[in-house]
Amino acid sequence: MRLGIDIGGTKIEAAALEADGTIRLRRRLPTPAGDYHGIIAAVKALVAGIDADCGRAESIGAGIPGTLSPATGLVKNANSTCLIGRPFDRDLAAALGRPVRLANDANCFALSEAIDGAAQGARVVFGVILGTGVGGGIVVDGRVLTGINAIAGEWGHSPLPWPQDDERPGAACYCGKHGCTETFLNGTGVSRAYEALGGRPDEAAAIAARAEAGDATALAALARYADRLARALATVINLLDPEIIVLGGGVGQIQALYRDVPARWAAYVFSDRVATKLVPPRWGDSSGVRGAAWLWSEPQPKP
Ligand SMILES: [Zn+2]
């Protein structure tokens, strides 16, 4: 049995997976905001509960909104900023009394969908999380591509491609720059597009529902968003040429994107045809814990 943990900004989820991928048990707790030791205590409590009900899992994988820096061994790039600069894998392993493999949450998402999800059987997969942040993960031949800086697939903090005049310099990003792709394509980015056309700021799902009902402002905002996503993904396709792109996160639940984005990306991709498929995830919210659990199927680089 494998145990996967998904540490998100609002909740921590743990699941026990059978060898065939069946989830035997899953539990969640709210994330103690800004509290590093609280997060470790919450993970410990979740794992103790699962140990008691399912037997002790020998391997634990955890996905975090960030990554371990190969240079320092400490967490970097985490939007749960209390993790930054901490030896989170070692602290978790000490608290849980067994080895822990840590990976970026978008990498876990991509791995889950590549192994037995919407991208099963594809050789090159790009997994995207469009949520509070914009993350990306690459899986090649069933293995996560981590990269020498542990940032492979991190497209969210590059500038939005082919910017129009009203897209420059773009909103300030928490990374310190302006106009990052993340500021256009996260949940707030949907709301910003809507606001720029005269709508009132709202949740991405609410704006999508209004567009479904025929609201002209919401439809125009989603069209603008789809064009931005098409531009940003076109640069990913030019660089990586994946067979399948899977969209996760809250914004990935907007069904119109699966029709509208591929209809627009052909104008930007450097190719006569685009065979890349854009698909919704099979496992949805569960891909975080599933991919984390699958980390132990992965050969790991030597330290
Ligand atoms: Zn940024």
Side-chain angles (χ1 to χ4, degrees), residues 156-157 173 175 180:
H157 298 277
C173 182
C175 76
C180 287

Side-chain angles (χ1 to χ4, degrees), residues 15-275:
L17 243 69
E18 312 267 11
D20 67 356
T22 308
I23 288 188
R24 197 153 128 196
L25 184 71
R26 65 195 293 173
R27 299 237 167 103
R28 59 173 63 174
L29 282 174
T31 305
D35 177 1
Y36 182 73
H37 296 287
I39 288 173
I40 290 176
V43 172
K44 195 173 174 182
L46 281 171
V47 171
I50 291 182
D51 277 354
D53 289 350
C54 293
R56 182 181 163 93
E58 285 312 313
S59 68
I60 297 182
I64 60 166
T67 191
L68 282 177
S69 163
T72 63
L74 308 174
V75 174
K76 67 172 177 179
N77 297 354
N79 57 15
S80 293
T81 51
C82 71
L83 299 177
I84 292 175
R86 303 280 195 162
F88 190 50
D89 57 333
R90 282 166 277 161
D91 287 347
L92 263 190
L96 302 175
R98 68 205 99 169
V100 173
R101 282 184 183 169
L102 211 62
N104 173 258
D105 52 6
N107 291 8
C108 291
F109 170 78
L111 183 62
S112 166
E113 293 297 331
I115 286 188
D116 62 354
Q120 188 175 10
R123 287 199 60 197
V124 180
V125 177
F126 188 56
V128 174
I129 295 185
L130 300 173
T132 313
V134 169
I138 298 168
V139 174
V140 179
D141 292 331
R143 293 179 59 178
V144 171
L145 182 71
T146 304
I148 196 165
N149 303 297
I151 55 165
E154 288 296 347
W155 65 319
H157 298 277
S158 297
L160 184 73
W162 299 283
Q164 296 168 8
D165 288 346
D166 65 349
E167 292 171 335
R168 276 186 299 244
C173 182
Y174 80 91
C175 76
K177 299 188 173 64
H178 277 260
C180 287
T181 295
E182 175 167 304
T183 64
F184 290 99
L185 296 185
N186 64 6
T188 311
V190 178
S191 181
R192 279 205 190 105
Y194 185 59
E195 224 183 320
L197 295 166
R200 291 178 56 182
D202 208 341
E203 299 288 320
I207 295 166
R210 240 165 272 153
E212 284 279 312
D215 178 280
T217 309
L219 279 166
L222 278 192
R224 194 92 208 267
Y225 181 91
D227 192 69
R228 288 169 174 161
L229 182 54
R231 278 183 263 159
L233 288 177
T235 61
V236 172
I237 295 171
N238 282 350
L239 187 69
L240 184 67
D241 207 1
E243 290 161 60
I244 298 191
I245 298 174
V246 192
L247 292 187
V251 182
Q253 291 174 21
I254 300 176
Q255 292 307 307
L257 295 175
Y258 298 97
R259 177 195 65 211
D260 296 346
V261 173
R264 290 165 183 270
W265 70 21
Y268 302 108
V269 175
F270 185 58
S271 176
D272 58 344
R273 297 241 182 111
V274 184

